Amino acid sequence: MSSVQPVESNTPRKYQLFIDGQWVDAESGKTFTTPNPATGENLAEVSEADKADIDKAVSAARRAFEGKWSKMSARDRGRILYKLSKLIEEHSSELAALETADNGKPIKESTYVDLPQVAENFEYFAGWATKIEGETIPVPGQMFNYTLREPVGVCGQIIPWNFPLLMAAWKLAPALAAGNTVVLKPAEQTPVTAMELGKLIQEAGFPEGVVNIVPGYGETAGAALAAHPGIDKIAFTGSTEVGKLIARAAAENLTKVSLELGGKAPNIVFADADMDQAVNGAMMGIFFNQGQVCCAGSRLFVEEKIKGEFLDRLIEKASRINVGDPMDKGTHMGPQVSEEQLNRIKSYVDVAQKEGATMLAGGESPQLAGAFQKGYFFQPTIFSDVNNQMRVAQEEIFGPVVSVITFRDEDDLIRQANDTIYGLSAGIWTRDITRAHRFAKEIKAGVVWINTFNMFNAASPFGGYKQSGYGREMGKHALEMYTHVKSVWVDLSGRPIGWFGK
Ligand code: ADP
């Protein structure tokens, strides 16, 4: 089992758990199926990990951490990571198609956004493996003090379904570069590409047990991993609600935690903005990946005096979004990931209307033909006359639903923009550079985009303020989450400590 099984293969897809370098059934023998959200048809049958399997995976990761992996040179570790990035590039078209089949995202996105960034993250962190260094500290007296940067050990990583392979890359790459071993739990909705990644991990030459991949449900496999006393760190990306459960479970063993959680990002359009740029930026902010993005610009703040013109243009552009077959290169929006998510979005449309918001576009599922009638599609949806206190302005919908809120001036804007429990990201569209940078300082968010939105790079940190979580992914800051700093003191005087007398 070395290369990626193409999506159009007629062989029914079956995946076992990847533990200690072996493909094994779950201890319980149980499996679960994952549907293609565009059609509702089964895509794959996957072994279902539970507590016993998590125990096995954690033990394997511990053996690998104490064995071959810690004895391997940083250079070799980096070379294996680099090889993995090359293997991903070689197989990127099959992986992109599988990502689309399992998640529903348009093939244009999985091909040109997800897969290139997956490879980029492994490549970037491959370079870091040989550059994780300690420091010497200028302490007084006849003393030499230096630090060692060491891996934290066995890491549990729990990832969501919105960017399945990319979230695996964000988590695995820095952990492995720093010399940790990993037990990765993909989301139950989208396990397929993580399992294919397991095959490439084998092919790249990682020693057995360095990476273990255990698909299963959150309440069982995920909870068992978060509460496991044998892990040294837990990293989670997902909802704020589950993030709190993870932090509580981790507190029991004082396991190190990093959390990348929900958001309700303000995306702000001032009257002096380039209108074309801002309209396109508003669309990118909320309709990319069907709105299933934690940093989505779901609160669209528009300066009062341009509201009419701006909304006309936004509605017109949104009406030209192609919603449909995600495998079609011309599709802009595929289905939502699951029926559960679709229903959640529909319920928020009801909430918005009850709260008095005005629906300007969308609000329902499109009429599609053939196999796609059973898919979980939803139209791009725009609400205006929203005020920042409404539930649709405060709660994360995680779908293609934007709430338009107006503001009068900068003070009014900052107050409203920061009036949220979240603080993941923010966007601002203006030609006034002093205002843009003032905003960047004032907004309580981990990422600010000025005249752009949804920009990412493996070298640039990403993470939240407030209830959007803690810790930073990507860039050198990610390594801080996966390393301990050890301080070493050496006496250079050769004399006894005189404190208690000679
Ligand atoms: P969503 O609500 O958007 O599906 P979640 O935060 O529930 O997002 O899921 C993100 C990840 O967290 C998934 O891998 C899921 O299986 C996992 N998960 C869900 N509930 C728990 C839990 N109680 N403990 C640990 N992991 C969980």
Side-chain angles (χ1 to χ4, degrees):
M1 271 224 287
S2 65
S3 71
V4 175
Q5 188 186 340
V7 73
E8 60 274 11
S9 157
N10 289 324
T11 328
R13 311 190 77 83
K14 277 193 192 264
Y15 296 99
Q16 292 170 293
L17 312 178
F18 183 54
I19 297 177
D20 209 8
Q22 313 296 319
W23 295 92
V24 293
D25 287 336
E27 289 286 308
S28 67
K30 281 198 207 163
T31 60
F32 67 100
T33 54
T34 172
N36 177 336
T39 58
E41 281 160 18
N42 274 344
L43 178 67
E45 186 182 347
V46 185
S47 291
E48 182 191 326
D50 203 337
K51 189 172 179 314
D53 310 289
I54 298 293
D55 285 346
K56 265 170 66 179
V58 170
S59 301
R62 177 63 60 194
R63 281 194 302 278
F65 179 70
E66 278 160 13
K68 279 193 186 155
W69 194 233
S70 60
K71 295 187 181 65
M72 189 178 279
S73 70
R75 183 184 181 201
D76 284 345
R77 229 169 42 228
R79 285 162 78 130
I80 296 177
L81 274 165
Y82 187 71
K83 180 152 185 218
L84 179 60
S85 82
K86 290 289 136 197
L87 286 170
I88 290 164
E89 280 175 357
E90 269 170 44
H91 293 285
S92 71
S93 56
E94 302 104 286
L95 288 167
L98 280 173
E99 197 74 309
T100 288
D102 202 10
N103 165 281
K105 63 177 65 210
I107 191 72
K108 188 169 115 179
E109 284 180 22
S110 42
T111 304
Y112 298 111
V113 180
D114 294 59
L115 261 297
Q117 290 194 29
V118 171
E120 180 194 88
N121 270 271
F122 283 111
E123 186 180 316
Y124 172 81
F125 281 104
W128 265 114
T130 48
K131 295 161 198 75
I132 300 170
E133 298 169 337
E135 309 154 298
T136 58
I137 319 284
V139 291
Q142 294 270 62
M143 285 287 164
F144 173 41
N145 178 227
Y146 66 95
T147 61
L148 294 173
R149 231 175 222 282
E150 298 180 339
V152 294
V154 176
C155 303
Q157 303 185 322
I158 300 178
I159 56 172
W161 45 259
N162 56 345
F163 295 88
L165 199 53
L166 185 55
M167 292 301 102
W170 281 19
K171 294 269 181 291
L172 287 170
L176 296 170
N180 299 280
T181 58
V182 174
V183 177
L184 177 79
K185 195 204 81 65
E188 55 271 35
Q189 296 86 345
T190 54
V192 167
T193 47
M195 304 325 291
E196 295 289 350
L197 182 68
K199 297 181 194 171
L200 299 182
I201 282 169
Q202 275 183 307
E203 202 175 328
F206 286 91
E208 290 171 357
V210 170
V211 180
N212 305 273
I213 308 178
V214 284
Y217 291 100
E219 302 74 32
T220 52
L225 185 55
H228 206 293
I231 59 168
D232 300 295
K233 181 200 159 64
I234 185 91
F236 171 78
T237 296
S239 59
T240 293
E241 189 190 344
V242 175
K244 289 179 184 175
L245 296 177
I246 303 269
R248 266 184 220 125
E252 199 54 42
N253 306 307
L254 293 179
T255 309
K256 278 163 87 78
V257 198
S258 57
L259 302 170
E260 199 262 274
L261 309 175
K264 196 75 196 179
N267 194 7
I268 294 147
V269 185
F270 275 92
D272 70 345
D274 177 311
M275 255 332 110
D276 257 358
Q277 264 194 0
V279 170
N280 282 291
M283 309 252 297
M284 168 51 96
I286 192 63
F287 301 133
F288 183 73
N289 205 30
Q290 294 73 243
Q292 301 167 143
V293 185
C294 47
C295 54
S298 50
R299 287 185 299 153
L300 183 58
F301 285 95
V302 180
E303 193 169 348
E304 218 158 60
K305 58 185 173 204
I306 54 157
K307 181 182 169 194
E309 183 201 345
F310 184 83
L311 287 183
D312 287 347
R313 290 174 71 162
L314 184 66
I315 293 163
E316 197 276 321
K317 270 221 105 172
S319 72
R320 288 192 277 125
I321 289 179
N322 297 327
V323 184
D325 179 4
M327 288 294 181
D328 185 328
K329 290 195 181 92
T331 293
H332 300 122
M333 275 175 53
Q336 308 305 129
V337 76
S338 65
E339 194 171 7
E340 187 187 343
Q341 287 300 317
L342 181 66
N343 290 337
R344 179 186 162 91
I345 293 163
K346 287 179 177 165
S347 75
Y348 272 107
V349 168
D350 292 343
V351 168
Q353 284 173 319
K354 284 201 189 97
E355 287 182 312
T358 309
M359 195 161 72
L360 299 178
E364 54 189 20
S365 293
Q367 298 298 320
L368 297 176
F372 302 118
Q373 283 170 4
K374 294 218 175 92
Y376 314 129
F377 296 89
F378 201 73
Q379 287 176 338
T381 300
I382 304 170
F383 280 103
S384 73
D385 303 319
V386 176
N387 77 53
N388 197 50
Q389 302 313 314
M390 289 181 184
R391 281 183 60 198
V392 282
Q394 289 292 325
E395 296 174 20
E396 190 177 39
I397 301 174
F398 228 63
V401 180
V402 71
S403 296
V404 179
I405 307 169
T406 53
F407 65 93
R408 285 183 310 279
D409 54 34
E410 219 174 296
D411 286 345
D412 179 36
L413 165 76
I414 295 284
R415 187 184 46 75
Q416 295 195 70
N418 276 329
D419 185 10
T420 163
I421 60 165
Y422 296 113
L424 192 53
S425 64
I428 181 167
W429 304 83
T430 176
R431 286 180 168 117
D432 180 339
I433 61 161
T434 56
R435 170 194 279 152
H437 291 288
R438 257 196 317 272
F439 171 79
K441 280 187 84 170
E442 298 277 335
I443 190 76
K444 307 254 182 306
V447 187
V448 180
W449 288 299
I450 300 175
N451 294 332
T452 184
F453 209 91
N454 277 346
M455 291 307 297
F456 290 94
N457 185 274
S460 179
F462 181 79
Y465 279 43
K466 301 195 274 184
Q467 292 197 29
S468 291
Y470 34 76
R472 290 293 176 270
E473 308 212 69
M474 297 191 290
K476 65 180 176 204
H477 300 280
L479 295 166
E480 283 159 23
M481 311 200 296
Y482 289 103
T483 49
H484 277 307
V485 179
K486 182 183 277 175
S487 176
V488 183
W489 290 81
V490 186
D491 174 272
L492 299 178
S493 73
R495 290 193 300 270
I497 300 173
W499 192 263
F500 295 104
K502 295 258 156 66

